[in-house]
Amino acid sequence: MAVGIFDSGLGGLTVLDAVTKRLPDVPFIYFGDNAHAPYGVRTADDIFNLTCASVERLWDEGCDLVILACNTASAAALKRMQETWVPPEKRVLGVFVPLIEALTERQWGDNSPPREVAVKHVALFATPATVASRAFQRELAFRAIGVDVEAQPCGGVVDAIEQGDDILAEALVRSHVEALKRRMPHPEAAILGCTHYPLMEKVFQDALGSEVKVYSQASLVAESLADYLQRRPQFLGAGTQSKFLTTGEPAGVSNKATQILRRKIAFEAA
């Protein structure tokens, strides 16, 4: 009954942590494509091919449902995967939709026409590839009208987090927030559009100011997944054990993951 969690690196651990707390009886298999991270500076074709290869590996582990806990993959590859590649008996889901449903105050799975919402000015912080895809704006337009989105490509932040350089990561976050606020001085809400960014959520909040509501994905994705599995229990796969897989060097990846989650994490070679 395992579910797969995929990320290009370690950011998806924020989602894994939330879903394991929400669904403690479900085994989760985490796959980090650390050898090819970060995805945020790659081409759309490259991201598509790497993501498909990683998802196939999770299918081999008995995961019929895979969550792309990577906004770049969700933005640049998911639509193409669902339309051209994923077989009917499998499911691959992204992390944008739960976030947008929360922002627009819609119930999970509400497919009614787009409507006016309370929030009019939204700041989006994401990787360069996610920003270039405009996937967030496309998904938002299905659900809301009249929302102004200002997107800031946050180059360097994922690298700094993956390398454990908190000082550089904080400096980059503050620089990116400053750059966005020059174009949108008074955002009402901010979207942390990368699963690495919750690790810097306090810095984003401090730089934006207390009046800006910051939306982070992990808990929203966990709630959405619980609802999905209640409605579609047939997509609980055959896998029975939780595990961590990486294309990177397992010992180094394990040490970084342990620091992030503050509990012992042991990755295996994928």
Side-chain angles (χ1 to χ4, degrees):
M1 53 182 283
V3 171
I5 305 285
F6 163 74
D7 188 41
S8 60
L10 296 174
L13 292 172
T14 59
V15 172
L16 177 79
D17 199 40
V19 296
T20 51
K21 287 173 182 170
R22 179 66 180 82
L23 297 162
D25 297 328
V26 175
F28 288 96
I29 299 176
Y30 185 92
F31 186 103
D33 190 16
N34 301 76
H36 301 106
Y39 278 18
V41 293
R42 292 182 175 274
T43 66
D45 280 347
D46 205 8
I47 294 164
F48 175 81
N49 291 329
L50 288 169
T51 304
C52 288
S54 300
V55 168
E56 277 193 309
R57 181 69 177 82
L58 284 165
W59 287 344
D60 290 343
E61 289 288 333
C63 301
D64 291 341
L65 168 63
V66 175
I67 306 295
L68 300 187
C70 172
N71 285 271
T72 302
S74 293
L78 179 60
K79 191 167 186 285
R80 181 176 165 191
M81 290 171 74
Q82 290 173 334
E83 290 176 351
T84 68
W85 184 76
V86 179
E89 70 277 9
K90 307 286 188 187
R91 287 292 183 275
V92 179
L93 304 176
V95 286
F96 269 140
V97 172
L99 195 66
I100 291 169
E101 287 174 333
L103 177 71
T104 56
E105 298 182 340
R106 294 167 78 105
Q107 295 297 311
W108 308 123
D110 177 353
N111 293 317
S112 59
R115 59 176 180 262
E116 293 268 352
V117 295
V119 176
K120 300 296 184 190
H121 303 286
V122 176
L124 169 66
F125 297 95
T127 67
T130 296
V131 170
S133 75
R134 293 189 61 81
F136 178 83
Q137 290 91 326
R138 185 179 66 240
E139 292 290 346
L140 181 63
F142 290 142
R143 295 161 179 82
I145 54 176
V147 181
D148 180 23
V149 177
E150 188 65 54
Q152 174 65 29
C154 297
V157 175
V158 170
D159 276 329
I161 291 171
E162 291 270 335
Q163 290 159 13
D165 192 339
D166 291 346
I167 293 171
L168 175 59
E170 178 171 341
L172 286 167
V173 166
R174 293 187 182 280
S175 171
H176 288 308
V177 171
E178 203 174 283
L180 182 133
K181 289 182 83 172
R182 284 197 290 270
R183 304 191 303 275
M184 180 182 275
H186 303 292
E188 297 162 85
I191 302 297
L192 303 189
C194 171
T195 47
H196 285 75
Y197 297 173
L199 300 168
M200 304 300 293
E201 184 172 352
K202 289 181 180 175
V203 180
F204 274 103
Q205 186 71 74
D206 183 60
L208 286 159
S210 58
E211 69 281 2
V212 179
K213 181 170 176 56
V214 175
Y215 287 84
S216 191
Q217 289 170 308
S219 58
L220 298 170
V221 171
E223 203 55 48
S224 182
L225 177 60
D227 175 74
Y228 187 89
L229 289 174
Q230 191 172 9
R231 291 183 288 112
R232 307 279 182 86
Q234 69 270 29
F235 289 111
L236 280 167
T240 57
Q241 287 188 317
S242 296
K243 63 173 71 173
F244 295 84
L245 302 170
T246 180
T247 56
E249 194 274 304
V253 174
S254 298
N255 288 337
K256 289 176 186 173
T258 297
Q259 289 171 0
I260 288 171
L261 289 187
R262 293 185 168 84
R263 60 183 172 89
K264 181 67 177 170
I265 303 294
F267 273 83
E268 306 169 26

